[in-house]
Amino acid sequence: MGERLPGEHCRMVCEDCGQSFLCGLSPLPLHTRVICPNCGYADNEIASAKKALGQRIFIDRTSLMFRPPRRWEIIVLRNPVQADKIAVKRVVALPGETVNIAHGDIYINGRIARKSLEEQRAIALLVYDANHPSRTSGSRWKSERLPSRWRSEAGHFVYSPASLDEPPDWLLYHHSAGRSDHQAAAPITDLTAYNQAAPRREEDVHVVTDLLLSFRCKFSDKRGTLFVRADDGESLFEARLRLDKGVGELWRTDKLVGAATTTELTRQAGLQLVEVSLFDRQYLLAVNGNVVFAVPRLTSSRDVHHPTTPFAIGAQGSEVELEDLKIFRDVYYYNLLPNNNGKESVRLGPREYFLLGDNCPISEDSRSWPNKGAVSARLFLGRLLNLW
C-alpha cells in the first residue's frame, strides 16, 4: 500500500523545506541521496535517515461476518498466489459488477466510480504542503501580479485590500519538477517519493489531474469575495463566494453552472475549511465538510493541456487569512495487465471482488492475480482496523 502502509522504509526529513516523507528500501535505492517530493531538494542523504521495518496492522475479523465489504474499503486477505502470506488491498469492485480501468479511474458497469469527500480524503496522496516552503526557491504559491496585496510568512498568507472596488488579487500554485535550485514548470504526475528505489521510464509516468486543494481561511468582516480557480486541463472552474450576500456561484469557462448559499464561510468565527476537488471527473467544493457544489467534469475528445498551475485563490474587498494550504492527488490506476485474455474489463461472479493496491506502479493485485483478477471472499481475513 506504499506510504499508507509501508514495507521496509526510512523516514526522511528534507534538509531544505523540513517536510517529512517516506522512502521505500525494497529494493535498495540506486543512489545514496533522495529527492524531496515537496520542494525538489535532491541532496537528502538516505544513509543518515532512520530505518524502519514494515508496518504492523490490526485486523477487525468480525465486521465482515455481518456485512459484505464496501467499495474503497481496505481489507486484509490471504494472498491468492502465496497462501502463507497476507495482502492488504482496497476494494474497488463488488460481486456481479463489470470493472474497467481507464485514464487512471475506475469504471463500474461502464460508469465512473466516484468517491465521497470522506473517501477522497482517505485515499488522497500529498503533493505539496505550503507549511514547508523551500529555503532555496520559496513557496510554490506566488502572487499573480506585482505589487500584490498578498503577503506570506512560512506558508501563512494574508490579503489586505486597499479598497472595496479594486480588482481581485490572485495567488497561483505553480507546480514544478527537478531540483529545488533548478526547477521547471511541469504538471503533477503519479511519481512518488516512496518509489525512488524503483525508477520508471518516462513513458510510464502519467499526468494526474484528479487533484484536491485544501485550505483554511478567515475573514476580517463579511464584505468582499473569495475566489477559487481549478484547471483540469479541459475546463477552467471558478467559484465566486460572496461574503456579504452569503451566496456562491460556480463558473465553468465563462458559463454559470451552479449557485448555492455559502453562509457557512462566515457563520462562525475562526478558520473555515475549504476543499476543492477534481477527483473522478467531478468538480466538488465543500466548506467545513459540507458539499456546496458537485458538478460532473466534461469529457471531450479534443486535445487537452496539462496544467502547471492547477489552482488559484483570489480575494477582493475583505482581509483574508489563509493557512494550511495543501494539494493532494488521487491514486492513478493503471490499465489492466494482460491477465484477462486481452479483454479490458472483468466481470465478477457471486462473492467475487476486484482489489487494487494504493501503490499502483508496483502493487501486486487483481490486475496480475489469477482467475482474471476476481478474488473470492473466502480469502478475506477481515477489515484493516489500524496501524501499529
Side-chain angles (χ1 to χ4, degrees), residues 71-72 92-94 97-115 210 234 279-282 297-300 332-336 344-348 354 356:
R71 197 183 326 278
W72 310 121
V92 301
L94 308 176
E97 295 180 337
T98 298
V99 58
N100 187 30
I101 302 175
H103 309 297
D105 292 317
I106 303 297
Y107 287 80
I108 301 297
N109 299 333
R111 303 183 66 177
I112 194 166
R114 292 196 169 103
K115 308 174 195 69
D210 284 24
E234 297 181 40
F279 277 33
D280 306 323
R281 303 210 61 81
Q282 175 181 252
R297 290 162 50 193
L298 295 176
T299 302
S300 80
Y332 188 100
Y333 293 110
Y334 288 17
N335 289 332
L336 301 181
E344 295 183 354
S345 60
V346 173
R347 174 73 176 180
L348 300 173
F354 200 84
L356 294 176

Side-chain angles (χ1 to χ4, degrees), residues 354-371:
F354 200 84
L355 312 176
L356 294 176
D358 286 357
N359 193 2
C360 191
I362 63 174
S363 175
E364 295 181 2
D365 47 38
S366 282
R367 297 169 301 163
S368 56
W369 285 341
N371 194 29

Side-chain angles (χ1 to χ4, degrees), residues 176-190:
S176 55
R179 299 170 60 102
S180 57
D181 57 352
H182 187 69
Q183 294 201 335
I188 294 171
T189 69
D190 63 341

Side-chain angles (χ1 to χ4, degrees), residues 213-231:
L213 167 65
S214 172
F215 63 92
R216 299 183 184 276
C217 57
K218 182 169 63 176
F219 310 96
S220 61
D221 53 49
K222 295 184 179 181
R223 301 179 300 172
T225 305
L226 178 71
F227 302 83
V228 186
R229 284 181 186 164
D231 186 353

Side-chain angles (χ1 to χ4, degrees), residues 117 120 226 228 237-242 247-251 256-262 265 275-277 282-287 290-296:
L117 179 59
Q120 292 181 29
L226 178 71
V228 186
F237 292 90
E238 183 175 302
R240 304 171 185 176
L241 310 179
R242 294 284 302 271
V247 298
E249 296 178 344
L250 178 62
W251 294 75
L256 181 65
V257 293
T261 59
T262 56
L265 274 175
E275 294 165 290
V276 176
S277 165
Q282 175 181 252
Y283 173 94
L284 183 148
L285 185 145
V287 177
N290 299 309
V291 175
V292 178
F293 296 114
V295 177

Side-chain angles (χ1 to χ4, degrees), residues 33-53:
R33 301 178 190 275
V34 294
I35 301 172
C36 172
N38 196 62
C39 72
Y41 183 74
D43 291 325
N44 293 292
E45 181 60 59
I46 197 170
S48 60
K50 184 178 180 180
K51 310 298 189 298
L53 298 177

Side-chain angles (χ1 to χ4, degrees), residues 257-330:
V257 293
T261 59
T262 56
T263 53
E264 185 79 21
L265 274 175
T266 55
R267 180 177 300 166
Q268 52 189 341
L271 293 167
Q272 314 301 315
L273 174 64
V274 177
E275 294 165 290
V276 176
S277 165
L278 296 172
F279 277 33
D280 306 323
R281 303 210 61 81
Q282 175 181 252
Y283 173 94
L284 183 148
L285 185 145
V287 177
N288 295 329
N290 299 309
V291 175
V292 178
F293 296 114
V295 177
R297 290 162 50 193
L298 295 176
T299 302
S300 80
S301 59
R302 61 182 172 85
D303 292 336
V304 300
H305 74 280
H306 295 152
T308 60
T309 55
F311 292 110
I313 302 172
Q316 180 184 37
S318 177
E319 182 170 297
V320 179
E321 296 182 39
L322 303 178
E323 294 184 10
D324 206 24
L325 282 79
K326 295 179 181 178
I327 293 177
F328 302 86
R329 70 168 177 87
D330 198 359

